[in-house]
Amino acid sequence: MDLHRRPPQTTTGAVATNPHSHRLKSRSPLPSPKASDALPLPLYLTNTIFFTLFFAVAYYLLHRWRDKIRSSTPLHVVNFTELAAIVSLIASFIYLLGFFGIDFVQSFATRASHDGWDLDDTVITTTTTTTTNQPLRKLTSPEPSLCSEEDNSIVNSVVEGTIPSYSLESQLGDCFRAAAIRREALQRTSGRSLEGLPLEGFDYEAILGQCCEMPVGYIQIPVGVAGPLLLDGFEYTVPMATTEGCLVASTNRGCKAIYVSGGAESVVLRDAMSRAPVVRFSTAKRASQLKFFLEDPLNSDTLAVVFNRSSRFARLLGIQCAMAGKNLYMRFTCSTGDAMGMNMVSKGVQNVLDFLRNDFPDMDVIGISGNYCSDKKPAAVNWIEGRGKSVVCEAIIKEDVVKKVLKTKVAALVELNMLKNLAGSAVAGTLGGFNAHASNIVSAIFIATGQDPAQNVESSHCITMMEAVNDGRDLHISVTMPSIEVGTVGGGTQLASQSACLNMLGVKGASKEEPGSNSRLLATIVAGAVLAGELSLMSAIASGQLVKSHMKYNRSCKDVTKISS
């Protein structure tokens, strides 16, 4: 696992043009030619013809050349049959190169099919009035136009409702084309332009059936890096996707303070995803019988076997029950390997519910989730029992670092933490919010690494503690986060950009050596970054620099020399 720091890689997103400012009349884009398009026959027949042709003419030419060598006839003297055989050999050879994926053949065929045609056939007709002295905008990629009659017909069908918008991908077999058609239909029905929402440059097949339905574009979110974060003896450069100025810079300062103080340490206390179905019986007594059955240690092995059938990584850890009258809430917790695990635990719960019907046929399953889980909502059960990864991260910040890097004093930080994060949050009646801005860092890392952003709600539960140590000279700071819900496989983690950010941290994909270790490491990195963010923001508040910092980093400035200073 490579944990060295790497320079960030940046990508330039596409900038869309106004689809109503001009019309492009050109031939519809042709699909990229394939080797199998050589004959209008089924693929297996085309392959058979060219394979047979190649070996037949090769055999024929070898025999002819052998006879010429024996009779001392020059090889360049050929008759019509030999010339046809040579042409056939070359043609079949080119087909075979394309069949086996030789890039230059495909690219040459593509250029030959399109170059010199698309530009000549394009006619631009201006439909809007332009004014003089209007600045030209720099366009990185124009918005694709739907110029074929077939595309326009499909757009009209979507607008009229005869073709459902959600079915375009399955009907067309082209995700990008479906997104472009849906986008144009949306613009026509709403009467509003989607200029500024990019479409080009995104792999729409990557999200099909996985991340997002009915796409019409994608949002550009800047990704910055903070670090190196020295955590448990390793350095990590932390990717943060955010539109908030000062956040990355502040977290970076916290990472520096932790680094020069010797680094931070972390501990994963618990790793358990939860799902809590709600069932109903005719009486509370009957519901209690199921509760006692589930909590009986003698039944735990049987229930675990049934639950664990859902996945080779799912392992049932426990069942906690709560009653409300004749309604029973069963909170299943299980380990889920390197996946965040919501789907995995839901499948296991369904297996157990089906099994329980044998002994409790009168059980009425109201819902696979009864909010006792609890997912994407602030809940005391997650704050107390934990959900996902429960992590504690701590560091001791030296006195001189507090003064020189953080520009404040240890006593000021301890006092501010007590009055703001602890007492102030208690006065506000917060739930799991005994911190300065843990949600800021959690959200930024979640978006960058392909996590579910909505799970920021419970994942940001955090209590920040500060205490003067070593005779009051140094600062001990810790963050306790009981429900960090992250994974390194599945969902948005498989998209190219998010996968690159996971790779930057050395936690991409599933761990083959120790299943679950990558997702646990990611959770500790999140906690470590929160520790850095808490340290820096609290220092800015204690020193009275918060407003000044935001005026510097959170306001537009075109002079890069002033920004860097």
Side-chain angles (χ1 to χ4, degrees):
M1 182 169 60
D2 186 9
L3 301 177
H4 296 301
R5 287 174 282 169
R6 306 180 182 88
Q9 298 179 353
T10 59
T11 58
T12 304
V15 179
T17 61
N18 189 340
H20 304 297
S21 63
H22 61 267
R23 297 174 182 172
L24 295 181
K25 298 180 180 179
S26 65
R27 306 194 315 176
S28 59
L30 298 175
S32 299
K34 303 175 182 177
S36 58
D37 297 334
L39 289 177
L41 297 173
L43 180 60
Y44 72 95
L45 288 179
T46 305
N47 292 340
T48 302
I49 291 173
F50 276 95
F51 271 95
T52 304
L53 180 64
F54 176 79
F55 290 108
V57 297
Y59 181 80
Y60 170 76
L61 289 174
L62 287 174
H63 271 271
R64 289 295 301 153
W65 290 338
R66 184 187 63 178
D67 293 339
K68 288 184 178 183
I69 292 173
R70 288 177 176 178
S71 61
S72 300
T73 302
L75 295 179
H76 64 273
V77 177
V78 295
N79 55 29
F80 178 79
T81 305
E82 293 171 342
L83 183 61
I86 294 174
V87 172
S88 300
L89 180 69
I90 295 174
S92 59
F93 181 71
I94 293 176
Y95 173 85
L96 292 178
L97 285 180
F99 177 80
F100 287 109
I102 306 302
D103 291 339
F104 82 89
V105 176
Q106 302 287 8
S107 61
F108 176 80
T110 303
R111 289 196 300 270
S113 300
H114 296 289
D115 288 358
W117 292 101
D118 295 344
L119 193 60
D120 293 340
D121 289 347
T122 301
V123 180
I124 300 179
T125 305
T126 304
T127 59
T128 58
T129 304
T130 58
T131 60
T132 59
N133 299 327
Q134 184 176 5
L136 296 177
R137 289 179 296 173
K138 183 178 180 181
L139 302 179
T140 57
S141 180
E143 181 176 337
S145 61
L146 302 176
C147 45
S148 71
E149 290 298 329
E150 181 184 2
D151 285 350
N152 281 318
S153 175
I154 297 174
V155 170
N156 292 332
S157 298
V158 173
V159 172
E160 294 168 1
T162 56
I163 295 181
S165 178
Y166 62 80
S167 68
L168 287 173
E169 281 81 4
S170 60
Q171 291 193 28
L172 299 177
D174 186 333
C175 295
F176 180 82
R177 183 184 174 202
I181 290 175
R182 182 181 297 111
R183 178 192 183 97
E184 179 61 24
L186 176 60
Q187 291 184 133
R188 294 184 187 181
T189 55
S190 66
R192 298 183 181 276
S193 171
L194 292 181
E195 179 184 7
L197 182 66
L199 183 67
E200 292 278 3
F202 188 80
D203 182 8
Y204 286 93
E205 292 185 1
I207 68 173
L208 185 63
Q210 175 175 291
C211 297
C212 180
E213 298 77 36
M214 298 172 59
V216 294
Y218 63 95
I219 297 295
Q220 300 182 75
I221 301 179
V223 178
V225 290
L229 171 66
L230 183 56
L231 179 65
D232 298 323
F234 294 94
E235 296 180 12
Y236 304 94
T237 301
V238 183
M240 302 176 66
T242 180
T243 56
E244 179 184 351
C246 205
L247 178 60
V248 177
S250 178
T251 308
N252 190 64
R253 184 176 74 148
C255 289
K256 178 181 179 181
I258 294 173
Y259 192 98
V260 296
S261 296
E265 301 289 333
S266 67
V267 178
V268 177
L269 304 175
R270 182 177 171 85
D271 182 5
M273 181 50 64
S274 63
R275 175 58 85 197
V278 54
V279 299
R280 181 171 57 194
F281 290 88
S282 58
T283 64
K285 182 177 181 180
R286 183 59 171 158
S288 66
Q289 291 175 352
L290 177 55
K291 179 180 185 296
F292 296 145
F293 176 85
L294 294 174
E295 294 177 345
D296 189 342
L298 297 178
N299 299 322
S300 59
D301 290 342
T302 301
L303 294 173
V305 170
V306 175
F307 183 95
N308 296 345
R309 292 173 185 167
S310 61
S311 169
R312 59 193 179 101
F313 297 108
R315 293 295 178 268
L316 182 64
L317 300 176
I319 306 174
Q320 182 180 1
C321 297
M323 288 183 58
K326 58 182 182 179
N327 304 303
L328 178 65
Y329 298 82
M330 303 169 284
R331 192 172 190 263
F332 290 76
T333 56
C334 78
S335 59
T336 57
D338 283 305
M340 183 271 290
M342 285 295 300
N343 293 333
M344 192 183 301
V345 66
S346 296
K347 289 167 59 179
V349 168
Q350 188 62 58
N351 289 345
V352 174
L353 291 176
D354 295 339
F355 171 78
L356 292 175
R357 289 185 184 277
N358 296 325
D359 294 324
F360 298 88
D362 54 334
M363 178 181 66
D364 183 13
V365 179
I366 304 301
I368 190 69
S369 174
N371 274 7
Y372 186 43
C373 311
S374 175
D375 187 41
K376 302 174 183 177
K377 293 165 285 293
V381 68
N382 291 338
W383 177 242
I384 298 170
E385 299 293 338
R387 189 170 194 256
K389 279 70 174 173
S390 301
V391 182
V392 177
C393 188
E394 64 180 348
I396 295 179
I397 311 301
K398 303 297 183 182
E399 181 182 24
D400 60 336
V401 176
V402 174
K403 292 180 179 179
K404 295 179 181 179
V405 177
L406 302 176
K407 312 298 182 184
T408 186
K409 298 179 181 179
V410 172
L413 283 173
V414 173
E415 182 181 30
L416 176 64
N417 186 71
M418 179 184 66
L419 296 179
K420 170 181 167 61
N421 289 341
L422 304 182
S425 297
V427 170
T430 187
L431 178 59
F434 298 92
N435 57 81
H437 71 148
S439 176
N440 247 340
I441 289 86
V442 171
S443 296
I445 300 177
F446 269 32
I447 295 173
T449 58
Q451 312 304 313
D452 188 339
Q455 289 185 323
N456 160 72
V457 176
E458 61 268 39
S459 296
S460 296
H461 282 183
C462 171
I463 182 169
T464 301
M465 303 292 291
M466 294 186 185
E467 179 184 350
V469 295
N470 298 331
D471 297 327
R473 295 190 305 272
D474 302 330
L475 175 73
H476 180 276
I477 178 174
S478 67
V479 293
T480 303
M481 305 180 68
S483 49
I484 302 178
E485 299 169 353
V486 293
T488 58
V489 296
T493 65
Q494 300 180 63
L495 298 179
S497 301
Q498 289 82 344
S499 180
C501 290
L502 289 170
N503 189 54
M504 181 192 307
L505 294 171
V507 295
K508 176 181 175 181
S511 172
K512 297 180 180 179
E513 295 79 13
E514 185 182 353
S517 60
N518 279 353
S519 61
R520 288 191 291 270
L521 177 55
L522 178 58
T524 63
I525 293 173
V526 171
V530 168
L531 183 73
E534 291 287 281
L535 183 61
S536 183
L537 177 59
M538 292 293 287
S539 299
I541 296 175
S543 61
Q545 297 296 312
L546 179 64
V547 175
K548 181 180 178 181
S549 297
H550 275 274
M551 291 301 101
K552 177 180 179 182
Y553 291 101
N554 209 22
R555 291 295 182 269
S556 178
C557 180
K558 302 303 181 184
D559 189 345
V560 294
T561 59
K562 292 182 179 180
I563 295 176
S564 61
S565 62

